[in-house]
Amino acid sequence: MKKTIFLFSATLLLLSFSKPGEQYPFSKWDPSTLEKANTAKDANGYSDEEKKVVYFTNLVRLNPDLFMKTFAQKYIDSTKTKETSFTRSLKNDLTAKYKPMGVLNVKDDLTEEARSHAEDTGKKGNLGHFTSDGKSYDFRMRKIKESYSAYAECCDYGSNDALSIVMHLLIDEGQASVEHRKILLESKYKFTGASIQPHKKEKWTCVIELGNSK
């Protein structure tokens, strides 16, 4: 019975994250890994795309090399993303540098912070980690810092498509330190919260919070 339930769950997961008849690149992944990555499936208040943001972030953490060879490569090919030093470094990082790490589990306080910042900056058309009234990221995080030994934030702009959001942050075009890539692939982080909201100037914004409990 457990096997039947698991296979049924994996099938539903595949159908929810792919178009009819398109099993690649899901078919290259073990069903148990796909299921393990889906930590946001029961997250309260999450849209399907917000759940997928967590899902794809977890997939690249669980198997960086396979993610590069499947989801990342398909994205690069289908969007005709120009090859740059950033796409080349991403390929090297995912296939040679980063090793498999743990998934991120959704936390309500991180989700609330992600949603609050995405809504605030989206309505005002602001970019970055400061609030519309000038409060810094450190100030914003004071209310939850007692729960986490470390935390970080990524902000993306222009898309409400989950894979595009994660790929933008992983490629991190133009960011010499590729800080967003490093944050998503930091093994010490165990928890996350994500929110996609309309943006006055950039059309869409996605804020992702990550943290590690004390």
Side-chain angles (χ1 to χ4, degrees):
M1 179 60 73
K2 288 184 178 180
K3 183 177 182 181
T4 302
I5 293 173
F6 171 76
L7 290 176
F8 180 66
S9 175
T11 300
L12 288 178
L13 182 68
L14 175 61
L15 291 175
S16 66
F17 285 105
S18 61
K19 296 178 181 179
E22 292 184 353
Q23 293 191 358
Y24 182 84
F26 292 91
S27 59
K28 296 296 183 180
W29 289 73
D30 183 88
S32 63
T33 303
L34 295 177
E35 182 72 16
K36 187 176 183 180
N38 202 21
T39 59
K41 63 182 178 181
D42 298 319
N44 293 328
Y46 272 61
S47 67
D48 286 344
E49 288 304 314
E50 288 167 340
K51 291 178 181 180
K52 290 178 189 178
V53 167
V54 178
Y55 178 74
F56 287 124
T57 302
N58 279 336
L59 283 182
V60 71
R61 290 169 65 89
L62 285 168
N63 194 330
D65 180 62
L66 184 57
F67 187 89
M68 182 64 233
K69 293 174 180 176
T70 55
F71 287 102
Q73 193 60 58
K74 183 177 181 181
Y75 172 86
I76 290 170
D77 292 342
S78 65
T79 59
K80 296 180 172 58
T81 299
K82 182 180 179 181
E83 182 178 349
T84 66
S85 61
F86 292 92
T87 60
R88 289 191 293 270
S89 72
L90 175 63
K91 183 175 182 179
N92 181 70
D93 281 355
L94 295 187
T95 59
K97 178 180 178 180
Y98 287 100
K99 305 303 179 185
M101 64 192 76
V103 297
L104 300 169
N105 290 290
V106 173
K107 293 277 281 188
D108 289 343
D109 53 357
L110 294 176
T111 299
E112 182 180 345
E113 184 57 39
R115 184 175 297 121
S116 175
H117 190 59
E119 289 177 345
D120 173 53
T121 54
K123 289 176 181 177
K124 298 294 185 179
N126 294 352
L127 305 178
H129 305 286
F130 279 78
T131 64
S132 60
D133 59 356
K135 294 183 176 64
S136 69
Y137 174 67
D138 286 338
F139 182 89
R140 288 166 42 215
M141 298 301 285
R142 288 193 309 171
K143 56 184 175 291
I144 61 174
K145 70 178 183 179
E146 296 302 321
S147 299
Y148 301 94
S149 59
Y151 43 82
E153 178 178 83
C154 292
C155 300
D156 182 66
Y157 303 93
S159 179
N160 65 342
D161 174 74
L163 183 57
S164 297
I165 291 166
V166 173
M167 286 302 301
H168 291 166
L169 295 171
L170 288 173
I171 295 173
D172 222 4
E173 188 72 37
Q175 298 294 322
S177 65
V178 292
E179 194 63 27
H180 298 105
R181 183 190 306 172
K182 292 176 181 177
I183 289 172
L184 292 187
L185 295 171
E186 174 53 67
S187 61
K188 70 182 178 183
Y189 294 129
K190 309 298 181 185
F191 305 107
T192 192
S195 181
I196 301 172
Q197 300 294 332
H199 194 277
K200 184 177 181 179
K201 294 181 180 179
E202 302 297 328
K203 196 171 183 178
W204 295 101
T205 182
C206 178
V207 176
I208 305 173
E209 305 288 353
L210 299 93
N212 184 29
S213 61
K214 291 185 176 180

